Amino acid sequence: MFSFLRPFIFNLDPEKAHNLAIKSLKFNILPENLFTVDNEQILKTNLFGKEIKNPIGLAAGFDKSAEVYNEIFKLGFGFVEVGTVTPKEQYGNEKPRIFRLEKDRALINRLGFNNEGSEIIKKRIENNVPNGLLGINIGPNKGTKNMVNDFVKCAETFFPLGDYLTINISSPNTDGLRDFHKSEFLKELLSKINEIREKSNFKKSFLLKISPDIEETFIDNIIEISLKNNIDGLILTNTSDRNRDNLLDQKKNEYGGLSGQPIKNLSTKLIKKFYKELKDKIPIIGVGGIDSGSSAFEKLSAGASAVQLYTGMIYKGPTVVKEIKKELIDIIRDKGFKNLKEVVGSDLN
Ligand SMILES: Cc1cc2nc3c(=O)[nH]c(=O)nc-3n(C[C@H](O)[C@H](O)[C@H](O)COP(=O)(O)O)c2cc1C
């Protein structure tokens, strides 16, 4: 069905196509069993204290204002991350701001955290109990006087909701945000988050989402500061504002964050580096260029306990999760692994 509709969808402006996808999902009446696969129990795992059916999640940025997460669970995802949500509603950058690089199976976006703001989104989630593990990704408003305060405000708003909160310091489309990868800024941010968490009554998991463009020398400090401040997991990685040289599509020099195939190996390499230091202390969620069972397997064997995708669904449509699950089960069985835990970090070359 998607391959039949794809030429029509790809003729639309990418943001219009996205809005249409959100609208259609609201009317998703397709039965859930259309997206399940045989022997899925081998993919069962635990993430932040909750059992999930499979380790394939939808990455942040698709359901920015938490409108359709329950419909997305129906497509067979093991978990969903909504956001990035900012304290106040925000329009984002000028349009056009999403570009399809078809020749590279990639996207470039410079959306700039367009979302309906924390108050509306909080009410929406309160009124629509999630049917699965839900992550809420938070960030600061553009031009805010104090980014740390914005993170704190969002964290406090969402304490009672969802299963984990992601502190997004890695979008390339908000000026100054990625400075939080530097030790002195990261310490300030994470110690503040840790402080309010300890005072709260909620046992909430906090994750940190990292850029693929960091210098290798940052890794040790990021790990040390994260562990010291009780961060529960790392998401590796967000989009890249570099790596344009080998791209084929003429839109390759659009300003913004690159996602999809061209960042696949970049993020896998970073996962390996982090996993070598972290081992099983806290889980890594691997993101970047996943659109098949083998690309999901690469991330898991590099050390990710679970994975997420976004761009893969744009190119392959909503059945991509089913396809990944089927292929992943075959690979796991062929290689003689008994369960997903055995796969995680099995390739450390
Ligand atoms: C259009 C678009 C919007 C995105 N918006 C966000 C966002 O708001 N917050 C965030 O943390 N990541 C955002 N991302 C990054 C994705 O969550 C993911 O980290 C990245 O795209 C790499 O995965 P992929 O190659 O599977 O797309 C966005 C990505 C795309 C393509």
PDB file of all heavy atoms in Angstrom, residues 303-319:
ATOM      1  N   GLY A 303      26.295  -2.309  21.140  1.00  0.00           N
ATOM      2  CA  GLY A 303      26.138  -1.972  22.556  1.00  0.00           C
ATOM      3  C   GLY A 303      24.824  -1.286  22.920  1.00  0.00           C
ATOM      4  O   GLY A 303      24.620  -0.940  24.084  1.00  0.00           O
ATOM      5  N   ALA A 304      23.945  -1.102  21.944  1.00  0.00           N
ATOM      6  CA  ALA A 304      22.653  -0.472  22.263  1.00  0.00           C
ATOM      7  C   ALA A 304      21.702  -1.522  22.841  1.00  0.00           C
ATOM      8  O   ALA A 304      21.603  -2.629  22.314  1.00  0.00           O
ATOM      9  CB  ALA A 304      22.051   0.154  21.015  1.00  0.00           C
ATOM     10  N   SER A 305      21.002  -1.163  23.920  1.00  0.00           N
ATOM     11  CA  SER A 305      20.018  -2.083  24.497  1.00  0.00           C
ATOM     12  C   SER A 305      18.690  -2.008  23.756  1.00  0.00           C
ATOM     13  O   SER A 305      17.855  -2.908  23.862  1.00  0.00           O
ATOM     14  CB  SER A 305      19.760  -1.723  25.961  1.00  0.00           C
ATOM     15  OG  SER A 305      20.928  -1.925  26.707  1.00  0.00           O
ATOM     16  N   ALA A 306      18.466  -0.889  23.075  1.00  0.00           N
ATOM     17  CA  ALA A 306      17.258  -0.705  22.269  1.00  0.00           C
ATOM     18  C   ALA A 306      17.612   0.291  21.171  1.00  0.00           C
ATOM     19  O   ALA A 306      18.690   0.911  21.220  1.00  0.00           O
ATOM     20  CB  ALA A 306      16.117  -0.171  23.129  1.00  0.00           C
ATOM     21  N   VAL A 307      16.742   0.415  20.182  1.00  0.00           N
ATOM     22  CA  VAL A 307      17.025   1.339  19.078  1.00  0.00           C
ATOM     23  C   VAL A 307      15.804   2.220  18.797  1.00  0.00           C
ATOM     24  O   VAL A 307      14.701   1.920  19.251  1.00  0.00           O
ATOM     25  CB  VAL A 307      17.425   0.591  17.782  1.00  0.00           C
ATOM     26  CG1 VAL A 307      18.704  -0.204  17.980  1.00  0.00           C
ATOM     27  CG2 VAL A 307      16.295  -0.308  17.290  1.00  0.00           C
ATOM     28  N   GLN A 308      16.034   3.278  18.054  1.00  0.00           N
ATOM     29  CA  GLN A 308      14.932   4.127  17.589  1.00  0.00           C
ATOM     30  C   GLN A 308      15.163   4.465  16.125  1.00  0.00           C
ATOM     31  O   GLN A 308      16.296   4.397  15.637  1.00  0.00           O
ATOM     32  CB  GLN A 308      14.896   5.455  18.354  1.00  0.00           C
ATOM     33  CG  GLN A 308      14.533   5.350  19.815  1.00  0.00           C
ATOM     34  CD  GLN A 308      14.603   6.709  20.510  1.00  0.00           C
ATOM     35  OE1 GLN A 308      15.457   7.533  20.203  1.00  0.00           O
ATOM     36  NE2 GLN A 308      13.714   6.931  21.454  1.00  0.00           N
ATOM     37  N   LEU A 309      14.097   4.874  15.459  1.00  0.00           N
ATOM     38  CA  LEU A 309      14.247   5.323  14.078  1.00  0.00           C
ATOM     39  C   LEU A 309      13.222   6.405  13.772  1.00  0.00           C
ATOM     40  O   LEU A 309      12.191   6.512  14.432  1.00  0.00           O
ATOM     41  CB  LEU A 309      14.063   4.154  13.105  1.00  0.00           C
ATOM     42  CG  LEU A 309      12.705   3.464  13.091  1.00  0.00           C
ATOM     43  CD1 LEU A 309      11.833   3.960  11.936  1.00  0.00           C
ATOM     44  CD2 LEU A 309      12.899   1.964  12.945  1.00  0.00           C
ATOM     45  N   TYR A 310      13.533   7.196  12.766  1.00  0.00           N
ATOM     46  CA  TYR A 310      12.611   8.189  12.244  1.00  0.00           C
ATOM     47  C   TYR A 310      12.666   8.156  10.716  1.00  0.00           C
ATOM     48  O   TYR A 310      11.705   7.754  10.045  1.00  0.00           O
ATOM     49  CB  TYR A 310      12.968   9.581  12.789  1.00  0.00           C
ATOM     50  CG  TYR A 310      12.037  10.698  12.381  1.00  0.00           C
ATOM     51  CD1 TYR A 310      11.883  11.826  13.176  1.00  0.00           C
ATOM     52  CD2 TYR A 310      11.304  10.646  11.203  1.00  0.00           C
ATOM     53  CE1 TYR A 310      11.023  12.873  12.815  1.00  0.00           C
ATOM     54  CE2 TYR A 310      10.442  11.674  10.837  1.00  0.00           C
ATOM     55  CZ  TYR A 310      10.310  12.784  11.644  1.00  0.00           C
ATOM     56  OH  TYR A 310       9.470  13.799  11.272  1.00  0.00           O
ATOM     57  N   THR A 311      13.833   8.517  10.135  1.00  0.00           N
ATOM     58  CA  THR A 311      13.939   8.662   8.686  1.00  0.00           C
ATOM     59  C   THR A 311      13.591   7.361   7.943  1.00  0.00           C
ATOM     60  O   THR A 311      12.980   7.408   6.864  1.00  0.00           O
ATOM     61  CB  THR A 311      15.369   9.137   8.330  1.00  0.00           C
ATOM     62  OG1 THR A 311      15.649  10.306   9.112  1.00  0.00           O
ATOM     63  CG2 THR A 311      15.493   9.480   6.862  1.00  0.00           C
ATOM     64  N   GLY A 312      13.924   6.224   8.518  1.00  0.00           N
ATOM     65  CA  GLY A 312      13.613   4.928   7.895  1.00  0.00           C
ATOM     66  C   GLY A 312      12.122   4.783   7.632  1.00  0.00           C
ATOM     67  O   GLY A 312      11.707   4.190   6.620  1.00  0.00           O
ATOM     68  N   MET A 313      11.297   5.335   8.530  1.00  0.00           N
ATOM     69  CA  MET A 313       9.844   5.221   8.341  1.00  0.00           C
ATOM     70  C   MET A 313       9.367   6.137   7.211  1.00  0.00           C
ATOM     71  O   MET A 313       8.390   5.835   6.534  1.00  0.00           O
ATOM     72  CB  MET A 313       9.106   5.530   9.642  1.00  0.00           C
ATOM     73  CG  MET A 313       7.627   5.198   9.542  1.00  0.00           C
ATOM     74  SD  MET A 313       6.804   5.021  11.120  1.00  0.00           S
ATOM     75  CE  MET A 313       6.597   6.708  11.601  1.00  0.00           C
ATOM     76  N   ILE A 314      10.066   7.239   7.001  1.00  0.00           N
ATOM     77  CA  ILE A 314       9.681   8.150   5.911  1.00  0.00           C
ATOM     78  C   ILE A 314       9.923   7.462   4.566  1.00  0.00           C
ATOM     79  O   ILE A 314       9.108   7.555   3.658  1.00  0.00           O
ATOM     80  CB  ILE A 314      10.503   9.474   5.983  1.00  0.00           C
ATOM     81  CG1 ILE A 314      10.325  10.157   7.337  1.00  0.00           C
ATOM     82  CG2 ILE A 314      10.155  10.411   4.821  1.00  0.00           C
ATOM     83  CD1 ILE A 314       8.891  10.453   7.734  1.00  0.00           C
ATOM     84  N   TYR A 315      11.023   6.733   4.457  1.00  0.00           N
ATOM     85  CA  TYR A 315      11.351   6.094   3.189  1.00  0.00           C
ATOM     86  C   TYR A 315      10.654   4.754   2.985  1.00  0.00           C
ATOM     87  O   TYR A 315      10.347   4.373   1.858  1.00  0.00           O
ATOM     88  CB  TYR A 315      12.883   5.940   3.042  1.00  0.00           C
ATOM     89  CG  TYR A 315      13.487   7.261   2.622  1.00  0.00           C
ATOM     90  CD1 TYR A 315      13.936   8.181   3.574  1.00  0.00           C
ATOM     91  CD2 TYR A 315      13.530   7.634   1.283  1.00  0.00           C
ATOM     92  CE1 TYR A 315      14.438   9.416   3.199  1.00  0.00           C
ATOM     93  CE2 TYR A 315      14.031   8.858   0.891  1.00  0.00           C
ATOM     94  CZ  TYR A 315      14.482   9.748   1.853  1.00  0.00           C
ATOM     95  OH  TYR A 315      14.957  10.981   1.468  1.00  0.00           O
ATOM     96  N   LYS A 316      10.406   4.031   4.065  1.00  0.00           N
ATOM     97  CA  LYS A 316       9.840   2.684   3.900  1.00  0.00           C
ATOM     98  C   LYS A 316       8.383   2.552   4.353  1.00  0.00           C
ATOM     99  O   LYS A 316       7.784   1.497   4.166  1.00  0.00           O
ATOM    100  CB  LYS A 316      10.704   1.675   4.643  1.00  0.00           C
ATOM    101  CG  LYS A 316      12.071   1.477   3.981  1.00  0.00           C
ATOM    102  CD  LYS A 316      12.689   0.190   4.447  1.00  0.00           C
ATOM    103  CE  LYS A 316      13.822  -0.246   3.544  1.00  0.00           C
ATOM    104  NZ  LYS A 316      14.566  -1.372   4.144  1.00  0.00           N
ATOM    105  N   GLY A 317       7.844   3.599   4.974  1.00  0.00           N
ATOM    106  CA  GLY A 317       6.442   3.559   5.373  1.00  0.00           C
ATOM    107  C   GLY A 317       6.225   2.846   6.698  1.00  0.00           C
ATOM    108  O   GLY A 317       7.165   2.334   7.308  1.00  0.00           O
ATOM    109  N   PRO A 318       4.958   2.810   7.143  1.00  0.00           N
ATOM    110  CA  PRO A 318       4.653   2.329   8.496  1.00  0.00           C
ATOM    111  C   PRO A 318       4.918   0.842   8.719  1.00  0.00           C
ATOM    112  O   PRO A 318       4.997   0.405   9.866  1.00  0.00           O
ATOM    113  CB  PRO A 318       3.166   2.644   8.663  1.00  0.00           C
ATOM    114  CG  PRO A 318       2.653   2.857   7.289  1.00  0.00           C
ATOM    115  CD  PRO A 318       3.784   3.324   6.445  1.00  0.00           C
ATOM    116  N   THR A 319       5.081   0.056   7.646  1.00  0.00           N
ATOM    117  CA  THR A 319       5.332  -1.377   7.874  1.00  0.00           C
ATOM    118  C   THR A 319       6.820  -1.650   8.134  1.00  0.00           C
ATOM    119  O   THR A 319       7.219  -2.796   8.291  1.00  0.00           O
ATOM    120  CB  THR A 319       4.859  -2.227   6.683  1.00  0.00           C
ATOM    121  OG1 THR A 319       5.405  -1.659   5.500  1.00  0.00           O
ATOM    122  CG2 THR A 319       3.350  -2.290   6.592  1.00  0.00           C
TER     123      THR A 319
END
